[in-house]
Amino acid sequence: MNILILDPEKSVSHRISKDTSGGYGTGNDFGDTAVPTFLKKTLKKIHDWPPMFALYSMAVLKKFNHVVDYHKKLPENYNDYDLFIIVSSIVCCETECDLIKKLSLLKKTILVIGPFASNLPKKYCDAGGTVIVGEPEFFFLKNKSLELIDQKNQITFDHNYSLDDLPYPEWEVVIKDNKTSLLFGTDKSLPILATRGCPYSCFKYCVYPLQQGRKPRQREPKLIVDELEYWKKKFNVKMFIFRDPVFSINRKHTLDFCKELINRKLNIKFVIETHLRILDGELIKILKKAGLKAVKVGVESYDEDVLKASGRFSVSKDQQLAKIRELETNEIQVSAMYILGFPSDTKETINKTINYAKKLNTTYAQFSVWTPYPGTPVFNEYKDKITAKKYDEFDQYHLVYEHGLFNKKNIRNYLSKAYSSYYLRVNWFFKYFMSFIKS
């Protein structure tokens, strides 16, 4: 079958990432003043990854001898394809649905994949699409012959496949001329997967468990390292960004992975996102020896009451500082993530969070806006306060609900202030310069 995977994006000056926020996607619209504008335009130029579920799906389809193309824009010969697969997201939902309406005139099957469509299928079904509910790569692994697909609003399915049953994502079709994203240094980089699923209590507001489930699933450590070696040989990729919700959630699995990587002597580096409570001195040292370059961690807010009111949890401030400094002592970069506009945030708590970020002075800092995502339990608590008119406003950088103290403009001003005051500091320039020359 001749298949076209379409990954449409709305036209904006900032980067769209459909792979982040559990596959709902984000739009890195950092702010409106000079510094955040520079950051978001730079990121758009150097960093562009399609969502992994789309490239896993593409790899499975090609494995079964389908002819598959991937495009972000509708090609002129689109009428030549037998089947269309639309990559869904919350940040480009309206753009995606407009495309589905156009394609539906051809009277051909239009499948819609991704966590957002899986959890809120109605809009895509109304546009003329058939939503595959669940992880699409496993659906395609189970259904080799797509001619037998029953066209209806939603397709649900069961499977007993594991992550190890998936082929490598089809990066070579997407990446042209051996160009890959440059992030955390000058080495070529690619995303990679070790685990899916997260059991933490933050499922109340987090979208990862909606598609991946709360039970962690791991790939065999040897197979992960096999893939690292493959991409290094194929594209000379030396930097890998693990897209796990919480890397190292299974300590034994993490240690086995590190030992395998150390023994293979691949001389690669990698970035993880994890929780500070998981990291300790022993684990940090073996991760460093294996090639850990940087860690993304959620700090979110300085104020304990704000965190508690939103059901968030973290280590104490003393532990936070100590673990971040221990990572940096081991020459591991830290990217700290903060959230502004919590329901219980005040002017004082937001300013404290911004000042605390500057005190921690990590190599990177990301500030975003508290967002009650559709499909999560917390959305039901705030659905009567939602002010956003379109789904694509849920990009993590705009206020989408009625806050007790702030309006959309207030929060955008705080966002701009956070990025400007953080990155326009001598202390940060020195920290970044030192981490860069040591890399």
Side-chain angles (χ1 to χ4, degrees):
M1 183 175 285
N2 200 13
I3 301 170
L4 175 59
I5 296 180
L6 282 167
D7 186 11
E9 294 181 0
K10 60 183 180 181
S11 180
V12 289
S13 61
H14 55 268
R15 170 191 175 236
I16 295 291
S17 174
K18 293 187 181 183
D19 198 43
T20 49
S21 194
Y24 268 44
T26 55
N28 298 139
D29 190 4
F30 298 140
D32 305 309
T33 53
V35 172
T37 297
F38 170 79
L39 291 173
K40 65 188 182 184
K41 288 186 176 181
T42 300
L43 188 60
K44 183 179 176 69
K45 290 179 180 179
I46 68 170
H47 188 42
D48 183 20
W49 290 329
M52 293 191 73
F53 64 83
L55 297 191
Y56 270 122
S57 296
M58 187 175 189
V60 172
L61 290 166
K62 294 188 72 173
K63 177 181 178 180
F64 296 140
N65 298 317
H66 295 290
V67 178
V68 190
D69 291 327
Y70 170 94
H71 290 284
K72 288 194 173 185
K73 295 182 179 179
L74 195 64
E76 293 183 0
N77 67 332
Y78 67 90
N79 196 28
D80 296 339
Y81 293 92
D82 307 307
L83 171 69
F84 300 100
I85 298 175
I86 307 298
V87 180
S88 72
S89 68
I90 195 170
V91 285
C92 296
C93 175
E94 281 72 22
T95 300
E96 294 152 3
C97 287
D98 287 343
L99 181 57
I100 292 171
K101 290 175 183 177
K102 179 177 180 178
L103 293 174
S104 65
L105 299 176
L106 299 177
K107 306 299 182 182
K108 296 181 181 181
T109 303
I110 305 169
L111 300 179
V112 186
I113 62 174
F116 181 63
S118 289
N119 290 297
L120 287 97
K122 186 177 185 304
K123 192 172 180 66
Y124 292 94
C125 295
D126 290 346
T130 298
V131 175
I132 297 176
V133 178
E135 296 169 300
E137 50 269 67
F138 292 116
F139 171 80
F140 294 122
L141 202 59
K142 184 177 181 179
N143 296 271
K144 300 180 182 181
S145 179
L146 299 178
E147 289 87 353
L148 302 179
I149 287 180
D150 181 18
Q151 293 189 49
K152 51 187 177 181
N153 286 343
Q154 301 175 43
I155 298 176
T156 58
F157 65 101
D158 295 316
H159 70 86
N160 59 359
Y161 294 109
S162 74
L163 295 177
D164 287 336
D165 293 320
L166 294 171
Y168 298 160
E170 195 71 7
W171 289 115
E172 54 258 54
V173 176
V174 176
I175 301 170
K176 308 298 183 183
D177 302 321
N178 279 9
K179 291 180 180 179
T180 54
S181 174
L182 297 175
L183 197 65
F184 291 99
T186 57
D187 290 323
K188 293 179 181 178
S189 61
L190 278 180
I192 194 167
L193 181 69
T195 65
R196 282 182 182 170
C198 179
Y200 285 159
S201 59
C202 47
F203 73 92
K204 180 180 179 181
Y205 50 81
C206 179
V207 299
Y208 277 98
L210 294 177
Q211 179 97 330
Q212 299 186 11
R214 299 191 63 194
K215 182 180 179 180
R217 293 167 287 159
Q218 296 91 23
R219 296 175 64 193
E220 178 67 33
K222 179 183 180 302
L223 298 182
I224 301 171
V225 180
D226 284 347
E227 185 177 351
L228 296 173
E229 185 174 17
Y230 175 83
W231 294 120
K232 182 180 180 182
K233 290 180 178 178
K234 183 77 174 181
F235 288 128
N236 194 31
V237 177
K238 298 178 182 178
M239 172 71 73
F240 294 89
I241 316 297
F242 278 94
R243 297 294 300 120
D244 306 31
V246 185
F247 191 91
S248 69
I249 197 167
N250 182 322
R251 185 183 182 88
K252 182 181 183 304
H253 179 265
T254 303
L255 292 173
D256 288 345
F257 161 74
C258 289
K259 291 173 184 176
E260 178 73 21
L261 187 53
I262 292 168
N263 291 337
R264 298 269 282 270
K265 299 179 181 179
L266 293 183
N267 192 28
I268 59 97
K269 298 177 182 178
F270 59 94
V271 178
I272 65 172
E273 182 173 340
T274 191
H275 200 286
L276 285 172
R277 69 186 299 180
I278 294 176
L279 298 174
D280 57 47
E282 179 189 9
L283 191 56
I284 289 172
K285 283 182 170 55
I286 193 168
L287 283 165
K288 170 63 178 179
K289 187 177 180 181
L292 181 62
K293 165 77 178 219
V295 175
K296 300 178 183 180
V297 295
V299 176
E300 301 186 339
S301 175
Y302 173 82
D303 193 275
E304 298 292 342
D305 292 333
V306 169
L307 292 173
K308 185 177 180 180
S310 292
R312 310 261 171 161
F313 64 94
S314 185
V315 296
S316 69
K317 292 292 181 293
D318 289 343
Q319 289 177 305
Q320 216 165 55
L321 180 60
K323 290 195 177 188
I324 287 174
R325 293 297 179 253
E326 185 173 6
L327 286 164
E328 293 175 336
T329 299
N330 283 275
E331 297 182 359
I332 298 169
Q333 296 179 354
V334 178
S335 176
M337 296 174 284
Y338 304 89
I339 297 176
L340 311 179
F342 279 106
S344 56
D345 254 333
T346 64
K347 179 179 179 180
E348 181 181 17
T349 60
I350 288 179
N351 282 324
K352 282 184 176 179
T353 295
I354 296 172
N355 289 332
Y356 183 59
K358 289 186 281 189
K359 177 183 177 181
L360 290 180
N361 194 34
T362 52
T363 308
Y364 302 97
Q366 176 181 311
F367 301 90
S368 57
V369 177
W370 189 83
T371 304
Y373 275 116
T376 63
V378 77
F379 181 81
N380 293 328
E381 299 178 21
Y382 285 85
K383 60 183 179 181
D384 295 331
K385 294 184 177 182
I386 298 299
T387 57
K389 303 301 181 184
K390 297 180 179 180
Y391 281 126
D392 64 10
E393 294 179 49
F394 287 77
D395 64 357
Q396 281 195 357
Y397 293 91
H398 292 82
L399 190 68
V400 298
Y401 73 102
E402 184 181 343
H403 194 282
L405 296 176
F406 306 117
N407 58 32
K408 294 181 179 181
K409 184 177 180 181
N410 296 150
I411 292 299
R412 288 293 290 175
N413 287 340
Y414 277 118
L415 199 62
S416 295
K417 174 185 176 181
Y419 278 101
S420 297
S421 63
Y422 187 87
Y423 286 106
L424 285 179
R425 293 178 301 119
V426 173
N427 284 352
W428 176 77
F429 276 109
F430 180 75
K431 170 66 73 70
Y432 180 78
F433 176 75
M434 292 303 296
S435 66
F436 185 82
I437 62 174
K438 290 178 181 180
S439 61

